[in-house]
Amino acid sequence: MVQRVGVIGGGQLARMMIPPAVELGVELRVLAEQPGSSAALAATAIGAADDVDAVLAFARDVDVVTFDHEHVPQDVLRVLVDAGVSVQPGPDALRFAQDKLEMRRRLSELGVPVPEWAAVEDEAALQAFVDAHGGRAVLKTPRGGYDGKGVRIVSAGVEGADWFADFDALLVEELVDFRRELAQQIARRPSGQVALWPVVETVQRDGVCAEVLAPAPGTAPDDRVRAVCAEIAVGIAEGLGVTGALAVELFETTDERVLVNELAMRPHNSGHWTIDGAVTSQFEQHLRAVLDLPLGDPTPSAPWSVMVNILGGPQDEPIDARFERAWASHPAAKLHTYGKSARPGRKVGHVTVSGEDLDDVVYQARAAAQAFDD
Amino acid sequence: MVQRVGVIGGGQLARMMIPPAVELGVELRVLAEQPGSSAALAATAIGAADDVDAVLAFARDVDVVTFDHEHVPQDVLRVLVDAGVSVQPGPDALRFAQDKLEMRRRLSELGVPVPEWAAVEDEAALQAFVDAHGGRAVLKTPRGGYDGKGVRIVSAGVEGADWFADFDALLVEELVDFRRELAQQIARRPSGQVALWPVVETVQRDGVCAEVLAPAPGTAPDDRVRAVCAEIAVGIAEGLGVTGALAVELFETTDERVLVNELAMRPHNSGHWTIDGAVTSQFEQHLRAVLDLPLGDPTPSAPWSVMVNILGGPQDEPIDARFERAWASHPAAKLHTYGKSARPGRKVGHVTVSGEDLDDVVYQARAAAQAFDD
């Protein structure tokens, strides 16, 4: 009786579920948008995530449906649930990851600390918010944003004109004066068990995650910030009914508060370090969680792990030449490729290095990623 | 330019190459004996390892051919080499893993310490060896043995009668008075680089590997036995021209000698702990080595790792019930399944636990394996 997990979406997150599925003896099936996806090895069906017939046909042959991304429309998710399919996380949770206004409203109801925010329906309302918050604010489309898209800093209402044409309302937030960005990974089973990795520091460049330092430096196990982040994540996972992996992106402010920035209800870039740096990776944990199996030990397996994304890189250099260059000098670097063609700025892989000295680990990880990427 | 590694044989060793192939972006192709193999996810062709046409057709579409087992006949291997295929390890090395008499002759020529041995062609010669070695000896068929098959302890020449009918000569060895059994893993690139994991202790039951303790207790990095084992393995890898992973099974005798027992020129059960317990696993290292890429860091990632094989188990219990039982009490146990139907005594998976206290690690690994296997 092999359990079958169906993943909608064939990107790198589905791809990175393949190794733990092989180890656990779980049959992974992937509904990919097109042939030749990152998760091609497990891609058993081709179809769009908003094609209800394709998704339903795919779902009927698996024990649980989960996701590589949050772009499956609510009406498609509801059809699955009505057909008796186990969808993890379910539509009632996923809508808070799909719509930033719904997320902000619900987190505020739950008393979770968030930046000051408002739903604005026109330029005048946006201008009023900007005026009330020091002349600058962060404007976000409620849906469709990722990796810096759908987010802009504005200082006048007119700067939202194009987005107001497409959305009934936009989310506007105070520009948080933050010391650094953090991310808290948690996994939760439908039956309630949760497991948390230590909070990590994320370093963004141009709106895209560039590096992750795990654990976040300065957050010992008894640290206040670590405890606050864990408490926030448990509150969100339980309050929103999240199942599977949840990533909570946070700001640590200059006045020592922790505010929730974004949510992702799936394995997340900020948790890739767990593949090599924790007893149980976020991908293995996600599979266990959506199948409602006991969760694994999330303890880090080394004092420090640092993950560096590989962005783009030249198209024409053979991969073995890049391996040769990177590994010859950094034999402890763990490379993960996504099976994507290189394109400047595109995440095509990542490198993790673990060890006892943070400075050395950061150096090794950056140098190895640079060598692969040159 | 994705590199393609072709593996002949679709057993659990090929299966365990899938995760690192996904991570490295190497395309793994498997020639499996039949559909539904352990490595079914990567099985792109079905054919017998002694079917020269099937093997050659498979080999023409990959960059390098390597192996899940040592049962590809020499004449098939020679056809591949003559056709310009990169075969790693090559036939000149593999023959010493395929034929125990050839192995003993060559190791003796190289000056590697081995048990006293002889090639015997009839019962009289066997009787004479037994008489000269205290009345008992170990008799082995030169080919076809594994997991205790093709090996028996004899006290009279007549006990070899059935095997003499099938082989021109048999291998007879002194019954070594050993304290424990060890295994030394090494990987070697065609261009010469080698990497060694620390020597491990293997515990056999009924001729089958039951547990592995890594590193072998009592062998600190500066230990004499550790250094001797490493020197022996380097000597064999270089002397026999082995490429890829090599496992050297050894006896540590009661009079503190180290003698070579068997060789395996592929990833080996005694190295499964490296998946969870070392920076670079034997499966990743094997892929790097056969592609002649720089080898990874073989350093253990924890002070102790213990691997326990899962043998057989009941056929009718759902795997999730077994997961539930094992993981609820042993969340740090890393389970690896082989996708095989259960049958008493058959290796269907293994468990690895890593940690700082050997007694605790042994306890956790045994208990988790027992729970999966009950």
Side-chain angles (χ1 to χ4, degrees):
Chain A
M1 288 239 316
V2 172
Q3 302 223 21
R4 298 156 301 173
V5 174
V7 184
I8 299 181
Q12 65 258 31
L13 302 179
R15 180 189 180 94
M16 286 186 269
M17 293 180 204
I18 296 173
V22 168
E23 292 172 0
L24 300 179
V26 167
E27 184 178 337
L28 196 73
R29 297 187 179 191
V30 171
L31 178 67
E33 295 74 12
Q34 53 208 18
S37 70
S38 282
L41 194 62
T44 49
I46 303 298
D50 58 359
D51 177 343
V52 66
D53 293 330
V55 172
L56 189 59
F58 173 74
R60 288 197 186 283
D61 282 334
V62 298
D63 296 302
V64 58
V65 164
T66 188
F67 308 95
D68 172 77
H69 57 67
E70 288 112 346
H71 309 320
V72 183
Q74 281 285 320
D75 56 351
V76 174
L77 297 172
R78 300 287 170 189
V79 168
L80 296 184
V81 171
D82 290 346
V85 175
S86 172
V87 178
Q88 307 295 341
D92 288 338
L94 264 178
R95 65 192 175 100
F96 299 111
Q98 293 177 320
D99 188 302
K100 290 176 185 174
L101 276 171
E102 291 211 49
M103 183 265 285
R104 277 284 174 259
R105 279 191 198 103
R106 183 73 183 121
L107 293 190
S108 295
E109 285 171 10
L110 289 170
V112 172
V114 297
E116 288 186 42
W117 67 278
V120 288
E121 296 181 4
D122 54 33
E123 294 179 26
L126 174 56
Q127 185 66 55
F129 187 95
V130 168
D131 291 343
H133 290 85
R136 293 210 300 166
V138 182
L139 188 66
K140 298 180 178 179
T141 59
R143 293 177 299 282
Y146 68 98
D147 277 357
K149 295 175 185 64
V151 177
R152 67 173 64 136
I153 294 173
V154 297
S155 53
V158 67
E159 294 178 68
D162 53 338
W163 287 350
F164 282 119
D166 290 333
F167 295 93
D168 290 338
L170 300 174
L171 172 64
V172 62
E173 299 176 343
E174 65 170 317
L175 193 62
V176 173
D177 189 14
F178 62 85
R179 174 180 297 158
R180 60 178 177 176
E181 292 186 73
L182 304 172
Q184 173 69 57
Q185 312 286 327
I186 183 173
R188 181 170 175 272
R189 295 171 63 179
S191 56
Q193 186 191 10
V194 297
L196 293 100
W197 292 269
V199 68
V200 300
E201 178 176 344
T202 64
V203 180
Q204 318 282 324
R205 290 197 192 100
D206 303 324
V208 178
C209 176
E211 294 181 7
V212 171
L213 285 65
T219 60
D222 61 349
D223 177 71
R224 182 190 67 86
V225 168
R226 187 186 286 207
V228 167
C229 293
E231 187 185 337
I232 288 172
V234 172
I236 294 173
E238 295 180 345
L240 273 51
V242 181
T243 52
L246 166 69
V248 182
E249 296 184 87
L250 303 139
F251 296 119
E252 183 180 353
T253 67
T254 52
D255 56 354
E256 302 195 337
R257 291 175 301 146
V258 174
L259 304 176
V260 173
N261 182 17
E262 306 278 359
L263 303 182
M265 292 184 192
R266 48 172 172 76
H268 186 255
N269 199 169
S270 60
H272 290 353
W273 68 276
T274 60
I275 300 173
D276 302 298
V279 174
T280 307
S281 79
Q282 65 170 348
F283 297 98
E284 178 181 341
Q285 200 79 297
H286 186 71
L287 294 177
R288 293 189 187 211
V290 300
L291 287 166
D292 204 18
L293 292 168
L295 300 179
D297 181 354
T299 304
S301 49
W304 298 105
S305 290
V306 172
M307 186 226 61
V308 179
N309 279 324
I310 300 176
L311 301 176
Q315 301 231 23
D316 53 352
E317 189 186 19
I319 188 75
D320 52 334
R322 297 164 68 169
F323 282 169
E324 186 79 45
R325 191 173 51 222
W327 280 336
S329 49
H330 308 288
K334 305 307 295 180
L335 173 70
H336 300 262
T337 64
Y338 303 160
K340 293 176 168 181
S341 57
R343 193 166 72 201
R346 187 185 205 192
K347 290 179 191 168
V348 296
H350 74 265
V351 169
T352 300
V353 175
S354 301
E356 307 209 342
D357 181 85
L358 179 58
D359 289 343
D360 181 60
V361 168
V362 168
Y363 170 77
Q364 296 284 344
R366 286 182 187 166
Q370 188 66 40
F372 281 116
D373 206 25
D374 270 349
Chain B
M1 288 236 319
V2 171
Q3 302 223 22
R4 299 156 303 173
V5 175
V7 184
I8 299 181
Q12 65 259 31
L13 303 179
R15 178 188 180 94
M16 287 186 269
M17 293 179 203
I18 296 173
V22 167
E23 292 172 359
L24 301 178
V26 167
E27 183 177 339
L28 196 73
R29 297 186 181 193
V30 171
L31 179 68
E33 296 74 12
Q34 54 210 15
S37 70
S38 283
L41 193 63
T44 49
I46 304 297
D50 59 358
D51 177 344
V52 67
D53 293 331
V55 172
L56 190 57
F58 173 75
R60 287 197 186 283
D61 282 333
V62 297
D63 296 302
V64 58
V65 164
T66 188
F67 308 95
D68 172 78
H69 57 67
E70 287 112 345
H71 308 320
V72 183
Q74 281 284 319
D75 55 352
V76 174
L77 297 172
R78 301 286 171 190
V79 168
L80 296 185
V81 171
D82 290 347
V85 175
S86 171
V87 179
Q88 307 295 342
D92 288 338
L94 264 178
R95 64 193 178 99
F96 300 111
Q98 293 176 320
D99 188 300
K100 290 177 184 174
L101 276 171
E102 290 211 50
M103 183 266 285
R104 279 283 175 260
R105 281 192 197 101
R106 184 71 183 125
L107 294 191
S108 296
E109 286 171 10
L110 289 171
V112 172
V114 296
E116 289 187 42
W117 67 278
V120 289
E121 297 180 3
D122 54 33
E123 294 178 25
L126 174 56
Q127 185 68 54
F129 187 94
V130 167
D131 291 343
H133 291 85
R136 293 211 300 167
V138 181
L139 189 65
K140 298 180 178 179
T141 60
R143 292 176 300 282
Y146 69 98
D147 278 356
K149 296 176 184 64
V151 177
R152 64 173 66 137
I153 295 174
V154 298
S155 51
V158 67
E159 294 177 69
D162 53 338
W163 288 351
F164 282 121
D166 290 333
F167 294 93
D168 291 338
L170 300 174
L171 171 64
V172 62
E173 298 177 341
E174 65 171 316
L175 193 62
V176 174
D177 189 14
F178 61 85
R179 173 180 297 157
R180 60 178 177 175
E181 292 185 75
L182 303 173
Q184 173 69 55
Q185 312 286 328
I186 183 173
R188 182 172 176 272
R189 294 170 64 178
S191 56
Q193 186 191 10
V194 298
L196 294 99
W197 292 269
V199 68
V200 301
E201 178 176 345
T202 64
V203 180
Q204 318 281 324
R205 290 197 192 100
D206 303 324
V208 178
C209 176
E211 293 181 7
V212 171
L213 285 65
T219 60
D222 61 348
D223 178 71
R224 183 190 66 86
V225 168
R226 188 187 286 206
V228 168
C229 293
E231 187 184 337
I232 288 172
V234 172
I236 293 173
E238 294 179 347
L240 273 50
V242 181
T243 51
L246 166 70
V248 182
E249 296 183 87
L250 303 138
F251 297 119
E252 183 179 353
T253 67
T254 52
D255 57 354
E256 302 195 336
R257 291 175 302 145
V258 175
L259 304 176
V260 173
N261 182 17
E262 306 278 1
L263 303 182
M265 293 184 192
R266 49 174 172 74
H268 186 255
N269 198 169
S270 58
H272 289 355
W273 69 275
T274 60
I275 301 173
D276 301 298
V279 174
T280 307
S281 80
Q282 65 170 347
F283 298 98
E284 178 180 341
Q285 201 79 296
H286 185 72
L287 293 177
R288 293 186 186 213
V290 300
L291 287 166
D292 203 18
L293 292 169
L295 300 179
D297 180 355
T299 304
S301 49
W304 299 104
S305 290
V306 171
M307 186 228 59
V308 179
N309 280 324
I310 301 176
L311 302 176
Q315 302 231 23
D316 53 353
E317 189 186 19
I319 188 75
D320 52 335
R322 298 163 69 170
F323 281 169
E324 186 79 44
R325 191 172 51 221
W327 279 337
S329 48
H330 307 289
K334 302 308 296 179
L335 173 71
H336 299 262
T337 64
Y338 302 160
K340 292 176 168 180
S341 57
R343 192 165 75 201
R346 187 185 206 193
K347 289 178 192 169
V348 295
H350 74 265
V351 169
T352 301
V353 176
S354 301
E356 305 210 343
D357 181 85
L358 179 58
D359 288 342
D360 180 61
V361 169
V362 168
Y363 169 76
Q364 296 284 345
R366 285 182 187 165
Q370 189 66 40
F372 282 116
D373 206 23
D374 270 349

